[in-house]
């Protein structure tokens, strides 16, 4: 990164002169970044609740409190991390890339130690201390320290709207590939059928899987670091730092960010609660955990089928318009599943595929929404706050994750789920089906309403903001 200081004291950092043109190398590198993220994030979203309840023996209510309480810590660590990356002077390899290099090993280690099966033999209080410390270490500190710089980096890899849409697509492909590995392989290793025909977990398999995923995540993060480059120049006035309170007050007026935060909360609640409940759905309702692997293949297949066309769809119709339509379709399918009370696994999987297409369409472009919002904030305020904007959104995602995990634990307790029981009562299994279908369906329809009627960045508005920023940079204007 090259540094220049003008007569007004504005510092300009420009990496475009040293970097090769944007291309497939950046897309693949950015894809591997989320591949690395989701070896811990998706694994925790799908199986940490199972590990805590089935291996360590905690009730769903206790786990729910843990997930919810951790988000209070995140309210400080996420925003703090965003401010750090926004105000630290860039290194030679950029402002965001170094954090990926520094954070890859700590986040892998922190994720791995959450799944130590030997802890099941400890006293209850010792197990509780263990889960609180290890979960906070991973979620609120290590994962935050790498995920916020990684997510913010998309806004400086390229200024072009099409390039950013493609980065969002490749990021989602990376998440989908991680989801495919986790969704297909993990059920085959962590579950087995006992002599009575019931599905039970294998404790040691969680630890072994976490170790393997830790090594794989480090490799993916390093590929992201070496393949991506930062190109977008930005300016910062030396010695000038805005207070956190004033900064947050400014973001509170950012309607696109607020609407996307609301949508993210509801979407993550629906998706992750559905993923959590699917483990219990196939364990206790369908009584076929092998079909869970098929479900995960189908879910990933929907995303991979859409991926080649998403950039064209986003350019032709607009990201807002396409995302809203996807949510509407997904909501209708899930509500239909609830009313049909499907008993056939093939029929259930077939309908779920259609719903996943809608969710996949939204998820493939959701990260491009963030870069649009960062541009909107710069146009509106004259300040470039990549890390802070992304940190607010990241915190919203974590809240959604916690709500899903916490609500999942509360719901399991409320519907009468017994963790120690090899088989659940019929009415409990039916309640699991209701939660796994009706709740996501209603939530997806709510996301549709938010994106359709409240999120303001239509295709035309995004193009106008991009043109304004390009004009400013050509003139050499600097944010205040």
């Amino acid at each position: 990164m090259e540094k220049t200081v003008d007569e007004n004291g504005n510092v300009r950092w420009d990496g475009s002169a040293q970097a090769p043109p944007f291309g497939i190398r950046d897309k693949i590198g950015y894809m591997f970044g989320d591949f690395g993220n989701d070896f811990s994030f998706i694994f925790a979203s799908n199986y940490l609740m199972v590990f805590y309840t089935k291996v360590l023996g905690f009730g769903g209510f206790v786990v729910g409190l843990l997930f919810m309480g951790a988000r209070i810590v995140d309210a400080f660590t996420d925003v703090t991390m965003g401010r750090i990356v926004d105000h630290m002077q860039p290194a030679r390899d950029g402002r965001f890339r170094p954090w990926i290099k520094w954070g890859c090993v700590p986040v892998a280690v922190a994720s791995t130690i959450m799944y130590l099966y030997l802890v099941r033999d400890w006293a209850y209080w010792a197990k509780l201390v263990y889960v609180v410390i290890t979960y906070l270490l991973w979620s609120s500190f290590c994962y935050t320290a790498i995920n916020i710089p990684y997510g913010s980096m998309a806004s400086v890899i390229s200024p072009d709207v099409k390039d950013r849409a493609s980065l969002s697509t490749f990021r989602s492909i990376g998440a989908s590939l991680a989801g495919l590995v986790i969704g297909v392989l993990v059920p085959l290793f962590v579950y087995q059928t006992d002599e009575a025909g019931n599905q039970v977990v294998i404790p040691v398999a969680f630890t072994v899987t976490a170790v393997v995923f830790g090594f794989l995540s480090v490799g993916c993060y390093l590929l992201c670091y070496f393949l991506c480059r930062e190109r977008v120049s930005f300016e910062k006035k030396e010695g000038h730092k805005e207070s956190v309170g004033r900064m947050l007050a400014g973001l509170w007026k950012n309607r696109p960010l607020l609407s996307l935060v609301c949508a993210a909360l509801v979407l993550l609640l629906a998706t992750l609660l559905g993923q959590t409940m699917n483990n219990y759905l196939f364990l206790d309702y369908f009584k076929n955990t092998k079909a869970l692997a098929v479900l995960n293949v189908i879910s990933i297949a929907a995303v991979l089928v859409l991926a080649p066309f998403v950039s064209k769809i986003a350019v032709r119709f607009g990201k807002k318009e396409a995302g809203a339509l996807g949510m509407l379709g997904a909501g209708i399918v899930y509500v239909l599943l609830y009313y049909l009370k499907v008993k056939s696994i093939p029929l259930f999987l077939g309908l779920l595929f259609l719903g996943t297409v809608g969710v996949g369409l939204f998820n493939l472009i959701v990260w491009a929404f963030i870069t649009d919002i960062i541009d909107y904030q710069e146009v509106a305020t004259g300040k470039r706050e990549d890390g802070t904007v992304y940190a607010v959104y990241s915190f919203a995602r974590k809240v959604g994750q916690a709500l899903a995990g916490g609500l999942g634990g509360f719901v399991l307790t409320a519907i009468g789920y017994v963790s120690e029981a090899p088989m659940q009562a019929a009415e409990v299994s039916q309640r699991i089906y209701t939660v796994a279908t009706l709740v996501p369906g209603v939530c997806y329809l709510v996301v549709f309403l938010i994106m359709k009627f409240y999120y303001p960045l239509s295709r035309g508005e995004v193009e106008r903001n991009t043109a304004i920023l390009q004009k400013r940079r050509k003139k050499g204007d600097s944010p205040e």
Side-chain angles (χ1 to χ4, degrees):
M1 299 288 282
E2 295 182 352
K3 173 183 176 180
T4 59
V5 182
D6 65 20
E7 63 275 11
N8 296 318
N10 293 317
V11 180
R12 179 183 179 91
W13 297 90
D14 192 347
S16 59
Q18 301 174 343
F22 177 87
I24 189 65
R25 176 189 177 105
D26 297 277
K27 297 177 186 178
I28 292 176
Y30 205 65
M31 176 192 74
F32 273 111
D34 215 40
F35 208 146
N37 267 346
D38 286 326
F39 271 125
S40 62
F41 184 82
I42 292 181
F43 188 39
S45 298
N46 290 5
Y47 293 100
L48 190 58
M49 170 76 77
V50 177
F51 178 74
Y52 284 162
T53 58
K54 291 292 188 179
V55 177
L56 300 188
F58 288 106
F61 184 79
V62 173
V63 179
L65 286 178
L66 168 65
F67 289 167
M68 296 291 288
R71 302 294 76 83
I72 298 175
V73 179
D74 289 344
F76 298 96
T77 59
D78 280 17
V79 174
T80 299
M81 190 65 210
R83 298 292 285 171
I84 289 173
V85 298
D86 275 341
H87 287 90
M88 279 190 66
Q89 302 294 11
R92 283 184 171 273
D93 45 358
R95 180 161 53 141
F96 303 109
R97 288 176 63 229
W99 292 96
I100 298 174
K101 177 178 62 177
W102 300 332
C104 61
V105 173
V107 75
V109 172
S111 175
T112 299
I113 62 175
M114 288 196 299
Y115 300 92
L116 301 181
Y117 78 98
L118 295 175
V119 174
R120 63 180 177 165
D121 297 324
W122 293 5
Y124 184 88
W125 68 267
K127 288 191 292 185
L128 187 59
V129 171
Y130 159 79
V131 300
V132 170
I133 292 176
T134 55
Y135 182 72
L136 287 177
L137 177 65
W138 169 72
S139 176
S140 299
F141 293 95
C142 295
Y143 186 77
T144 291
I146 198 169
N147 182 54
I148 288 176
Y150 164 74
S152 305
M153 188 171 67
S155 65
V156 298
I157 292 178
S158 173
D160 188 86
V161 174
K162 295 179 182 179
D163 293 343
R164 292 176 173 185
S166 67
L167 285 175
S168 178
T169 299
F170 272 79
R171 174 173 183 169
S172 296
I173 291 174
S176 298
L177 292 174
L180 181 63
V181 173
I182 295 169
V184 173
L185 296 182
V186 173
L188 301 179
F189 286 101
V190 303
Y191 296 121
Q192 69 178 6
T193 305
D194 64 13
E195 296 179 355
N198 299 313
Q199 301 291 309
V200 296
V201 299
I202 307 172
V204 67
F206 285 91
T207 306
V208 174
T209 302
V211 171
V212 173
F213 285 172
F215 279 105
L216 292 175
S217 69
V218 170
C220 290
Y221 282 132
L222 291 177
L223 284 171
C224 177
Y225 171 79
F226 285 113
L227 293 177
C228 291
R229 290 292 184 272
E230 297 182 21
R231 295 176 179 82
V232 176
S233 62
F234 57 95
E235 300 80 18
K236 193 175 296 292
K237 186 169 289 187
E238 287 190 329
H240 175 73
K241 288 188 179 181
E242 185 180 32
S243 69
V244 174
R246 186 175 178 183
M247 177 272 300
L248 291 176
L251 290 178
W252 184 253
K253 300 176 182 178
N254 187 322
R255 178 176 166 183
L257 179 60
L258 290 179
S259 55
L260 190 64
V261 163
C262 292
L265 283 170
V266 181
L267 178 64
L268 265 294
L269 174 63
T271 303
L272 298 179
L273 178 61
Q275 291 173 355
T276 298
M277 297 307 295
N278 280 340
N279 286 285
Y280 298 95
L281 182 70
F282 282 85
L283 187 67
D284 299 300
Y285 180 83
F286 289 118
K287 301 186 186 300
N288 187 335
T289 54
K290 298 297 184 290
L292 183 60
V294 179
L295 167 65
N296 291 317
V297 171
I298 289 175
S299 299
I300 304 308
V303 174
L304 297 180
V305 167
L306 279 171
F309 310 103
V310 167
S311 293
K312 294 180 179 179
I313 293 173
V315 172
R316 175 67 179 85
F317 300 101
K319 294 185 281 291
K320 165 186 173 173
E321 295 79 2
L325 181 61
M327 287 292 94
L328 176 62
I332 291 172
V333 170
Y334 273 83
V335 172
L336 181 63
L337 275 171
Y338 163 71
Y339 281 108
L340 290 178
K341 298 294 188 293
V342 176
K343 296 289 186 181
S344 166
I345 292 179
L347 178 59
F348 183 86
L349 295 177
L351 290 173
L352 205 66
F353 173 81
L354 297 177
T356 305
V357 169
V359 178
L361 178 58
F362 186 90
N363 284 333
L364 282 166
I365 57 179
V366 68
W367 303 110
F369 287 134
I370 298 298
T371 56
D372 292 343
I373 292 171
I374 290 171
D375 284 351
Y376 170 89
Q377 181 74 1
E378 184 176 355
V379 169
T381 68
K383 298 180 179 67
R384 188 77 185 177
E385 296 173 317
D386 312 67
T388 305
V389 171
Y390 186 82
V392 172
Y393 179 69
S394 176
F395 173 66
R397 283 178 55 84
K398 284 188 176 182
V399 171
Q401 181 194 15
L403 288 173
L407 186 60
F410 300 150
V411 167
L412 286 174
T413 301
I415 66 177
Y417 192 89
V418 181
S419 301
E420 298 80 9
M423 181 181 297
Q424 303 298 317
E427 60 270 19
V428 173
S429 298
Q430 188 59 55
R431 292 168 190 158
I432 291 173
Y433 181 91
T434 297
V435 175
T437 54
L438 182 60
V439 174
V442 172
C443 288
Y444 292 146
L445 292 176
V446 171
V447 174
F448 160 73
L449 294 174
I450 293 172
M451 298 305 297
K452 177 67 175 178
F453 299 107
Y454 190 65
Y455 183 78
L457 296 185
S458 62
R459 181 181 63 173
E461 185 66 22
V462 169
E463 292 173 350
R464 282 191 290 273
N465 289 339
T466 301
I468 290 171
L469 292 179
Q470 289 177 344
K471 185 176 180 180
R472 284 182 183 177
R473 290 183 177 115
K474 285 180 181 179
K475 290 183 177 180
D477 293 341
S478 297
E480 295 179 0

